[in-house]
Amino acid sequence: WKEAEELEVQVMETRKRVLGEEYPSTLTSMANLASTFWNQGRWKEAEELEVQVMETRKRVLGEEHPSTLTSMANLASTYRNQGRWKEAEELFVQVMETSLRVLGVEHPEHADQHGQSGVDVKELRAMDGGGRAGGAGDGDDFEGAGSRASRTR
């Protein structure tokens, strides 16, 4: 994880300097670093980056953009792993309702959000980790690292 973290920090800082803090690739780099923290159980560090990514994506892409929804689901997953059930549930429900309204039940992004995020609120408290959101991103590189089955952009 140490090597991955060092490279991700270097890429993130370079993208911030060259492309700007709100550029999609920069946000992807920030989310990648958050994912590395997440995989190590470094919840607070993951949370800080995830909040930045989510808030920026809301402002730049809009609250209903698939990348924004993915960021929200990732933050909800981090809350869940910290035992912050109420905050996790609120975000997961918001993601589910928005993706259903915007993308529809048959859309692959909705299926990813529901299937990978653990959005079933009845089972939310029974979950013990796992599950990060899959979803759309800016399309230029992978967002996340590590042992999870899926990761976001």
Side-chain angles (χ1 to χ4, degrees):
W1 296 117
K2 186 177 193 276
E3 291 176 37
E5 182 179 334
E6 289 172 1
L7 288 172
E8 288 166 351
V9 168
Q10 184 180 358
V11 169
M12 180 185 71
E13 292 302 328
T14 301
R15 285 182 171 173
K16 280 183 179 181
R17 189 179 67 254
V18 174
L19 301 172
E21 293 194 10
E22 295 184 345
Y23 198 80
S25 295
T26 304
L27 295 173
T28 296
S29 296
M30 293 170 69
N32 287 343
L33 181 57
S35 181
T36 297
F37 292 150
W38 194 93
N39 278 312
Q40 297 175 77
R42 293 164 62 182
W43 312 123
K44 278 300 185 190
E45 291 164 288
E47 177 186 344
E48 288 173 16
L49 283 173
E50 289 168 344
V51 168
Q52 288 178 41
V53 170
M54 181 190 71
E55 292 301 329
T56 304
R57 284 179 171 167
K58 279 183 178 181
R59 189 174 61 255
V60 174
L61 302 174
E63 294 195 12
E64 296 181 342
H65 191 279
S67 294
T68 304
L69 296 175
T70 296
S71 298
M72 292 167 66
N74 285 338
L75 180 59
S77 180
T78 299
Y79 287 157
R80 181 187 63 214
N81 284 338
Q82 295 177 74
R84 294 163 63 182
W85 306 113
K86 184 71 174 158
E87 292 163 288
E89 181 177 346
E90 288 171 4
L91 270 178
F92 277 140
V93 168
Q94 191 176 357
V95 168
M96 180 58 73
E97 289 175 349
T98 304
S99 67
L100 275 171
R101 186 178 70 254
V102 174
L103 303 175
V105 126
E106 299 294 323
H107 195 281
E109 290 303 322
H110 170 72
D112 272 354
Q113 298 278 342
H114 180 66
Q116 299 296 329
S117 303
V119 180
D120 184 349
V121 293
K122 292 178 182 176
E123 297 180 19
L124 188 62
R125 286 188 175 87
M127 298 179 83
D128 61 344
R132 296 285 277 185
D138 52 58
D140 67 333
D141 52 337
F142 179 76
E143 183 176 294
S147 61
R148 281 176 278 171
S150 70
R151 185 55 192 155
T152 64
R153 293 179 186 249

